[in-house]
Amino acid sequence: MNKIYLMALLFPFGTVANAQQKQPSATVYTTARGSDLKISKTGSLNFTDLKQPLETQVCIFVDPSKTFQTLVGIGGAITDATAETYAKLPKAAQQEFLKAYYDQSGGIGFTLARTSIHSTDFSSDSYTYIKENDAALKSFNVKHDEKYRIPLIKQAIQAAGGKLTMFVSPWSPPAFMKTNGSMLKGGKLKPEFRQNWANYYAKFIKTYEAMGMPVWGLTVQNEPMATQTWESCVYTAEDERDFIKEYLGPTLQKEGLSDKKLIAWDHNRDQMYQRASTILSDPEAAKYVWGIGYHWYETWTGSGMLFDNEKLVKQSFPDKELIFTEGCVEKFNIDSIGSWALGERYGYSMINDFNSGTAAWTDWNMLLDEKGGPNHVGNFCFAPVHADSKTGKLIYTNSYYYMGQFSKFIRPGAERIVSSSNRDKLITTAFINPDGKMAVVVMNKSNDKLPYYLWIAGKAAETISLPHSISTIVVE
């Protein structure tokens, strides 16, 4: 960031020399339970001297002189289910959806996207881009995607201002390439098809790019330790390491795709250190890997979210990035669509993920129908926005607003800075944007209304955190 601006933030006033410097000002935007506040402007803050806070004074301490990872983006997945649901909306609702997600002033300004290499559980059917047993990929085409998915991706790119950072992920190789002869229920990639499968990624990326959809990166395999009833494929850490270094990495290089960001793991936080260490400790594999992707579903085991594992990976391999590649609230129930816990799960994860070193954060389905689908195996889930297919109206859960408290104000290229709370009821993260403005996010999961000070370099501003709320304070 601009060093003069940084000095102005740290030492904004108090001497003749800097008397002409602008005093910092701050604007608060809040989403809160039991109110109409949805990323609403709730006040402006004024800073005054507060050299040494007392232990009894609740504070969020911000230090913009200490910077960490640079944000790539925040966004969501454009799945087949999202695209099919979108296509069935009235034109006005489609425009509302695009503006809500991709417009920074009128929406929440998403800048990141994920999509799949052929089908997932959130497709209406299982499919690939080739005829069965076509190992040479001579029949390769993405005609299936031209009905729903490709039109939405292109509209999303346009709505995002002509640029959308997109990465792609496979759920399973074609059935004939696998040990179980099925795209579903796990199985493994047969050794004799490793090169053919690596070629498949390259063909997909080149085809999408030739159609006007730039691909920023790719993951090796969605959830490589899960045997699911839907599309899935199992790789041990050694399997994934060897596939990267002997096939996928060299193939991307040979095909002129070495600039694509290759992401390993793409599964839950619980085993991410073991996977990262196995792959990244091998220099021949590590040289192809941009970062480690992860999901938040380790909670299926009864565990809480394991943020320390993210930190260990980042500390152990500081030259590699972390990317949250998928998260949603499972087991859709229309009666819970107004539950405040939906958004709080997002806010809690995002703050802790960013504080652990994460450089990019990706939601799962951006839009689903009123049943939590379509999904060809009945694995219905929540999305931040649902469509009522009978009325054509969009239903916004508070997850949408919680994500917006980050994505609207923290932009690509922002650097994370120190933001420290002295009370466990308030959790916080902060970034400084390329334009020099700071965005400090403060979340309150408690039932208490908590007055606190936002403290920066001996100056502090008083504000209040409402019960079950999340606020973003923009300091300039």
Side-chain angles (χ1 to χ4, degrees):
M1 68 169 292
N2 183 294
K3 298 300 182 186
I4 296 174
Y5 194 95
L6 176 57
M7 293 301 291
L9 283 170
L10 291 172
F11 308 105
F13 42 113
T15 69
V16 175
N18 60 23
Q20 61 189 20
Q21 292 175 349
K22 181 184 174 185
Q23 290 191 10
S25 60
T27 308
V28 185
Y29 300 86
T30 300
T31 297
R33 190 177 77 176
S35 74
D36 294 328
L37 300 177
K38 297 172 179 176
I39 321 181
S40 304
K41 183 177 176 180
T42 50
S44 299
L45 306 183
N46 296 309
F47 287 82
T48 58
D49 287 336
L50 181 59
K51 294 300 182 187
Q52 177 56 65
L54 302 173
E55 290 179 289
T56 52
Q57 292 176 307
V58 182
C59 291
I60 298 294
F61 300 104
V62 177
D63 183 357
S65 72
K66 301 292 188 294
T67 59
F68 304 95
Q69 78 272 21
T70 300
L71 185 76
V72 171
I74 299 170
I78 300 176
T79 60
D80 286 328
T82 291
E84 184 176 337
T85 304
Y86 172 85
K88 294 174 180 177
L89 287 172
K91 186 71 174 175
Q94 290 182 343
Q95 293 304 308
E96 178 188 337
F97 169 85
L98 291 171
K99 182 177 181 180
Y101 267 118
Y102 293 108
D103 188 287
Q104 191 188 356
S105 57
I108 61 174
F110 270 11
T111 56
L112 182 67
R114 183 194 193 200
T115 201
S116 65
I117 299 176
H118 60 231
S119 63
T120 75
D121 49 327
F122 278 94
S123 303
S124 289
D125 58 341
S126 286
Y127 65 92
T128 72
Y129 300 127
I130 57 173
K131 293 177 180 176
E132 189 67 8
N133 297 314
D134 177 16
L137 314 183
K138 290 180 180 177
S139 58
F140 189 96
N141 72 84
V142 296
K143 191 165 182 59
H144 178 282
D145 299 357
E146 292 178 17
K147 185 174 183 182
Y148 296 129
R149 188 162 21 131
I150 287 173
L152 177 54
I153 291 172
K154 289 186 173 181
Q155 289 175 60
I157 292 169
Q158 188 175 11
K163 182 187 176 186
L164 188 60
T165 300
M166 185 171 73
F167 66 99
V168 300
S169 305
W171 265 242
S172 171
F176 72 89
M177 293 187 185
K178 294 177 64 186
T179 56
N180 67 344
S182 170
M183 290 178 69
L184 315 181
K185 300 180 180 178
K188 300 185 75 169
L189 175 64
K190 290 181 178 179
E192 61 265 33
F193 289 116
R194 288 179 294 187
Q195 186 58 61
N196 308 79
W197 183 226
N199 294 342
Y200 199 104
Y201 296 73
K203 241 183 195 331
F204 176 81
I205 292 169
K206 286 187 169 184
T207 301
Y208 259 47
E209 293 205 319
M211 297 175 76
M213 296 168 288
V215 173
W216 168 82
L218 67 157
T219 73
V220 179
Q221 167 65 42
N222 179 74
E223 298 185 348
M225 285 303 294
T227 298
Q228 305 284 24
T229 57
W230 54 87
E231 288 84 342
S232 44
C233 184
V234 175
Y235 291 75
T236 66
E238 291 78 12
D239 290 338
E240 187 175 3
R241 177 197 65 199
D242 295 346
F243 180 59
I244 290 169
K245 76 175 179 180
E246 295 171 11
Y247 295 94
L248 187 53
T251 298
L252 292 172
Q253 201 161 55
K254 179 183 156 194
E255 294 293 329
L257 300 171
S258 58
D259 62 323
K260 306 308 175 191
K261 307 298 189 279
L262 183 58
I263 300 159
W265 186 224
D266 198 10
H267 204 164
N268 298 329
R269 299 183 187 98
D270 51 1
Q271 290 184 294
M272 68 184 290
Y273 184 82
Q274 182 263 345
R275 181 67 52 132
S277 63
T278 302
I279 294 171
L280 299 180
S281 294
D282 184 326
E284 290 305 305
K287 69 183 183 183
Y288 297 113
V289 176
W290 174 82
I292 301 296
Y294 65 92
H295 301 180
W296 71 15
Y297 309 114
E298 66 267 23
T299 52
W300 77 272
T301 65
S303 171
M305 293 184 178
L306 300 170
F307 304 112
D308 282 349
N309 290 342
E310 298 172 47
K311 292 176 184 174
L312 284 172
V313 172
K314 188 61 181 172
Q315 289 165 357
S316 301
F317 305 98
D319 60 327
K320 302 301 181 183
E321 300 293 348
L322 298 179
I323 173 171
F324 182 88
T325 47
E326 184 186 318
C328 74
V329 178
E330 309 100 314
K331 298 180 181 176
F332 180 77
N333 178 352
I334 191 68
D335 295 334
S336 299
I337 205 159
S339 169
W340 205 253
L342 297 176
E344 289 192 330
R345 181 169 179 176
Y346 277 77
Y348 177 70
S349 180
M350 293 179 81
I351 286 173
N352 284 285
D353 292 335
F354 288 132
N355 287 344
S356 300
T358 291
W361 207 95
T362 330
D363 184 33
W364 186 211
N365 301 280
M366 297 172 65
L367 174 71
L368 292 172
D369 64 21
E370 70 275 20
K371 297 176 182 177
N375 184 295
H376 72 86
V377 289
N379 179 36
F380 301 120
C381 295
F382 283 95
V385 182
H386 286 266
D388 185 328
S389 61
K390 298 179 185 66
T391 65
K393 298 282 179 65
L394 297 179
I395 305 163
Y396 294 82
T397 75
N398 70 320
S399 302
Y400 167 83
Y401 300 105
Y402 267 70
M403 283 194 296
Q405 293 280 167
F406 300 84
S407 59
K408 188 178 179 73
F409 305 104
I410 305 168
R411 307 300 294 165
E415 291 183 289
R416 185 170 66 87
I417 57 177
V418 170
S419 188
S420 169
S421 174
N422 68 351
R423 295 292 188 275
D424 63 356
K425 288 181 179 177
L426 297 181
I427 61 173
T428 180
T429 193
F431 285 77
I432 188 154
N433 282 296
D435 64 2
K437 294 179 182 178
M438 283 189 288
V440 183
V441 181
V442 179
M443 179 174 155
N444 178 3
K445 281 181 70 177
S446 80
N447 296 319
D448 302 327
K449 184 177 180 180
L450 298 169
Y452 69 95
Y453 291 90
L454 178 66
W455 188 97
I456 307 173
K459 307 289 179 182
E462 292 186 74
T463 186
I464 293 173
S465 179
L466 297 173
H468 294 282
S469 72
I470 185 168
S471 294
T472 307
I473 305 164
V474 178
V475 183
E476 53 183 306

